[in-house]
Structures are given as C-alpha cells and as structure tokens.
C-alpha cells in the first residue's frame, strides 16, 4: 500500500516541476526578444552592444560552471532553485524600473544579463539532479521528454508572445511578464513535497578544487560520457555557426521579408516538439543507444538542405532541413540527459552536468563568431554550406563510441 500511495504524490510533484519550468521557459523566450528590443529602442544600442548583452548571458557557464557543479552536489537542490528564480525575477524587474525612471544604462543591462546568466547556471545544474529526485529514478526518459517538449514549444510561442507584448505594451513591460514567470516557477517548486536525501558528509568536507577535478576526470575518463560531450560541443558550434548567419542569408541572399523568415525559423522548434513526442517511442522500439544513433544518422545530414534554399518552392528545403535537425537534437537531449541521470552516481551528478554543459556551452560563442566571420569573408550561402557541412557528419563521433555495440545505454557505470 505504501508504494501505491506514493505514485500520486510523485505525479503531482512532477506536474508542479513541469508547469513551473514551462512557464519559466516561456519567460526566457520572451526575454530573448525583449532584452535586445530594450537595448535598441531605449538605449539606441548598436549590434555590437546587443551582441555583448547576449554573450553576457552565456559567459557565466565558462566562469563559474565547474565550481557551481561541485557546490550544487553538496547542498539541497530545491532551495537553490527557488533562490535562483527569485534573484532572476528581482534582476529583471530592475530593468523596467530603471527605464521608467529614465536611469537605464548599458552597464545595467550587461550586469543584469550576467546575474541572470549566473542564476541560470546554478538553477540548471541543480535542476538536472532534481529531476531524478522528483521522479525517484523512475520514468526519467518519459519525464525528460515532457520537459524537452515543453521547452521546444516555448521556443515556438515565446518570440511571438514577446512581439505581441512589445507591440501592445512596449518591450519594457514584456520584461515584467518574464519576471512574473520566475515567481510562478518559484511557487511551483515551493509546493513540491518530495524530500531530498541528505548530502554525503565526506563530499561536503572535500575541497572545492578536488571536487571539480573529480568531475572533470569522471567525464573525461568515461567511454560513454566523453564522446557525448565531444559531440555536444561540436554540434553546438556548428548549429550556432549557421544560425548566426541564417537570418542574413534568408533576407539578403534568398530575398525574404521578416515575416517569412520568422515563420521558417520556427521549423526547428517545431521539430523539437516532434522529437520530444517520439523520443520515448523510438527508445523503446530500437533501444536508447541504437535509437539515438539511428535518429542522428537519419536527421543530421538533412542540415545540408538549408544552404540549398531558394525563393518560392525552394523554401521547403529550409523548413524540412530545420525541422528534421530539430527532431534529432531534441531526441539526443532527452536520451543523453536521461542517461546521465541514471548512469552517474547521485553525489557526482551536479559536477557531471556542470562539466558537460560548460564544455558544450563554451563552443556557442565560438560558433557564432565563426559563422559571422565566414559570412563576411566568403559569403552567406558558402558560410551556410561550411557550417551545415559540420552538422551533417557530426553523428559519426557517437558511432565511434562503445554505444555502437549496445542496444541500450547502460544504467550504471562499469569498470573500464
């Protein structure tokens, strides 16, 4: 009877986590549009300044990602996540307040981006460990699929909602809506009833540097995690590389208006939703390892359709390529994330997640810079060919790993 009695509570706790993250994800998508709009409209910022604000959001992963992973392993996850939500809400509210007082500055915008980025590092590191606690180690694949699907859906809806809010009430007011989403997330987390296990005393006493090194060694020395991280770093660089130039490519080379460009760019997010819907089914039908490899081999090469895009019927090439690549990336995020949560010891999970995400995110600004430089140097269509040419065969990194011999990814780590 005790086991049966826990199931509704677990479902309730996961629903709260799911709702909170979906609402917060929608807010983040709104911010992605609202911040640049505020910088341009209120501060009359140029493209370089807008780029600096965008970079400030990702910079904390490089600066504090590893120590945060070690720190999060030694503390309770839910209070940390709630604190991050509250800090983000307060920081975002400070921007419209300053704007309404005619006191908003570029430094304020960059500082806010850094604070929100740091809060995101802490939140996401704890969040990936907390999913395992909320689901009690069960149904992780299905749970991650739901969360990934919601994330993809917010990427589709967020920019549109942000545009409507900015048009109706102004970009500054749109940022207030985002602050409210963080408060909703905090309330949902506060209502979760699951009890977190006590931290290990020996881990709490270990020096921070030693814990960081242990996380790096765990990822770098593992035959499954190492190629996954390498693939993630490469695919992120290539994806951001062509995404950095795709808008200019579609407008100046293909000759599209902004409305059509916006519609085409939703194709990738729509693919992410479909990927979340099919990830569990594919994994159960083919196995988590084999299904992951099959999906990557079947979707990544379609990135080469993007630089073939022309006006008229040729727009279907871009939509199809972005849609299929979105499916592959979404399924990979779900399978790899679920694998980490079951494969890594609980006391190491925060460090493993932080190490993997720090490495993967470190290539994002590099890819953006490379794509932009290539666009100016060789042209927009050739730059698209170069970067999508990296995406197409990237799955071979996974094929060269031990998972090529597996039906399912292992549940626990075995000695090599």
């Amino acid at each position: 009877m005790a086991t049966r009695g826990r199931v509704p509570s677990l479902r309730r706790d996961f629903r709260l986590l799911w709702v909170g993250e979906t609402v917060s994800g929608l807010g983040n998508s709104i911010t992605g549009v609202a911040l640049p709009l505020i910088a341009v409209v209120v501060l009359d910022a140029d493209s370089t300044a807008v780029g600096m604000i965008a970079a400030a959001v990702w910079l904390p992963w490089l600066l504090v990602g590893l120590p945060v992973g070690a720190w999060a392993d030694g503390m309770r996850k839910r209070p940390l996540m709630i604190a991050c939500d509250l800090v983000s809400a307060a920081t975002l509210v400070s921007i419209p307040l300053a704007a309404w007082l005619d006191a908003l500055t570029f430094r304020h915008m960059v500082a806010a981006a850094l604070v929100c980025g740091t809060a995101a590092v802490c939140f996401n590191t704890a969040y990936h460990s907390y999913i395992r606690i909320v689901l009690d180690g069960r149904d992780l694949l299905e749970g991650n699929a739901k969360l990934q699907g919601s994330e993809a859906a917010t990427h589709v809806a967020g920019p549109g909602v942000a545009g409507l809010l900015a048009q109706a009430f102004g970009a500054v007011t749109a940022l207030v809506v985002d602050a409210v989403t963080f408060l909703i997330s905090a309330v949902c987390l506060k209502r979760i009833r699951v009890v977190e296990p006590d931290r290990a005393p020996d881990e709490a006493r270990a020096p921070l540097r030693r814990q960081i090194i242990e996380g790096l060694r765990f990822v770098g020395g593992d035959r499954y995690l190492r190629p996954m991280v390498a693939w993630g770093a490469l695919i992120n660089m290539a994806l951001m590389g062509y995404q950095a130039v795709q808008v200019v490519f579609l407008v100046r080379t293909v000759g599209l208006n902004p409305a059509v460009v916006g519609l085409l760019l939703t194709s990738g997010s729509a693919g992410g939703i479909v990927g979340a819907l099919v990830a569990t089914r594919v994994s159960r039908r083919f196995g988590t390892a084999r299904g992951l490899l099959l999906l990557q081999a079947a979707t990544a090469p379609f990135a080469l359709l993007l630089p073939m895009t022309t006006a008229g019927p040729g727009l279907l090439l871009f939509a199809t390529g972005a849609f299929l690549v979105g499916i592959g990336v979404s399924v990979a995020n779900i399978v790899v994330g679920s694998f980490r949560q079951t494969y890594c010891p609980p006391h190491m999970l925060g460090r493993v997640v932080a190490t993997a995400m720090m490495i993967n995110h470190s290539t994002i600004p590099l890819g953006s810079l490379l794509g932009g430089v290539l666009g100016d140097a060789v042209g927009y269509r050739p730059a698209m060919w170069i970067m999508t040419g990296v995406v197409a065969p990237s799955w071979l990194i996974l094929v060269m790993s031990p998972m090529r011999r597996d039906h399912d990814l292992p549940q626990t780590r075995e000695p090599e």
Side-chain angles (χ1 to χ4, degrees):
M1 295 297 291
T3 301
R4 292 180 61 187
R6 291 180 63 193
V7 174
S9 177
L10 286 170
R11 290 176 178 171
R12 172 189 178 277
D13 287 342
F14 177 73
R15 283 198 300 268
L16 286 169
L17 181 65
W18 189 12
V19 170
E21 284 316 290
T22 301
V23 174
S24 181
L26 178 63
N28 284 328
S29 295
I30 293 172
T31 298
V33 177
L35 275 182
L37 281 175
I38 293 172
V40 172
V41 174
V42 178
L43 300 179
D44 194 27
D46 57 20
S47 59
T48 301
V50 173
M52 289 178 65
I53 293 173
V57 175
W58 294 103
L59 186 60
W61 280 105
L62 302 180
L63 299 179
V64 300
L66 293 179
V68 164
W71 181 47
D73 274 336
M75 67 182 304
R76 295 189 183 277
K77 311 300 183 290
R78 189 176 64 153
L80 174 60
M81 294 162 65
I82 292 174
C84 290
D85 277 336
L86 296 178
V87 167
S88 296
T91 302
L92 291 174
V93 166
S94 73
I95 294 176
L97 286 177
W100 292 331
L101 295 172
D102 198 24
L104 184 63
T105 64
F106 176 70
R107 290 183 179 180
H108 186 156
M109 295 283 287
V110 172
L114 284 170
V115 171
C116 288
T118 303
V121 172
C122 298
F123 186 97
N124 288 331
T125 301
Y127 167 70
H128 282 83
S129 300
Y130 195 61
I131 296 172
R132 175 173 175 168
I133 296 171
V134 170
L135 290 176
D136 197 24
R138 297 174 292 179
D139 300 323
L140 282 173
L141 190 65
E142 184 177 353
N144 280 309
K146 287 182 169 65
L147 293 165
Q148 183 71 25
S150 296
E151 180 181 347
T154 60
H155 288 167
V156 174
V161 173
L164 292 174
L165 289 172
Q167 183 69 29
F169 306 106
V172 170
T173 303
L175 212 57
V176 176
V177 175
D178 188 16
V180 173
T181 66
F182 281 105
L183 294 178
I184 294 174
S185 175
V187 170
C188 289
L189 288 170
K190 183 67 176 177
R191 295 183 61 197
I192 293 177
R193 299 171 182 168
V194 67
V195 178
E196 296 185 47
D198 293 330
R199 62 185 182 183
D202 57 332
E203 288 296 328
R205 289 194 299 265
L208 184 63
R209 181 179 177 182
R210 177 182 156 193
Q211 294 184 56
I212 293 173
I213 292 174
E214 287 176 352
L216 289 168
R217 286 177 176 171
F218 190 95
V219 173
D222 188 88
R223 56 186 178 178
Y224 288 96
L225 292 172
R226 184 173 59 246
M228 286 179 178
V229 170
W231 171 80
L234 180 65
I235 195 74
N236 276 347
M237 183 198 71
L239 289 173
M240 295 306 296
Y242 80 70
Q243 288 174 13
V245 74
Q246 66 182 0
V247 172
V248 186
F249 164 70
L250 290 172
V251 172
R252 295 183 180 173
T253 302
V254 183
L256 305 181
N257 60 51
V260 177
V261 171
L263 183 62
L264 284 178
L265 294 184
T266 64
S267 301
S269 296
I273 297 174
V274 173
L277 294 174
V278 304
T280 302
R281 188 174 303 174
V282 169
S283 297
R284 289 174 179 170
R285 173 67 177 84
F286 299 102
T288 51
R290 195 168 299 169
L292 175 61
L293 293 179
L294 286 174
L295 256 296
Q296 295 312 303
T299 58
F302 281 94
L304 296 174
L305 293 179
L306 302 179
M308 298 181 188
T309 303
T310 58
L315 298 181
L316 289 175
L317 295 173
F318 191 99
T320 302
F323 179 76
L324 292 173
V325 170
I327 291 176
V329 171
S330 177
V331 171
N333 286 339
I334 293 165
V335 173
V336 172
S338 302
F339 165 71
R340 280 198 305 251
Q341 289 160 2
T342 57
Y343 182 74
C344 301
H347 70 280
M348 288 287 297
L349 187 54
R351 279 168 284 177
V352 170
V353 168
T355 299
M357 296 185 78
M358 186 275 292
I359 295 172
N360 289 344
H361 289 166
S362 69
T363 60
I364 289 177
L366 175 62
S368 297
L369 178 62
L370 182 58
V373 170
L374 285 172
D376 290 334
V378 302
Y380 304 127
R381 194 182 297 272
M384 291 286 290
W385 275 114
I386 292 170
M387 300 314 299
T388 56
V390 177
V391 174
S394 60
W395 58 278
L396 293 174
I397 294 177
L398 299 176
V399 173
M400 291 185 288
S401 73
M403 73 174 66
R404 70 180 181 274
R405 299 187 294 269
D406 298 333
H407 180 269
D408 286 297
L409 292 167
Q411 296 288 311
T412 57
R413 192 187 194 203
E414 297 178 359
E416 300 191 15

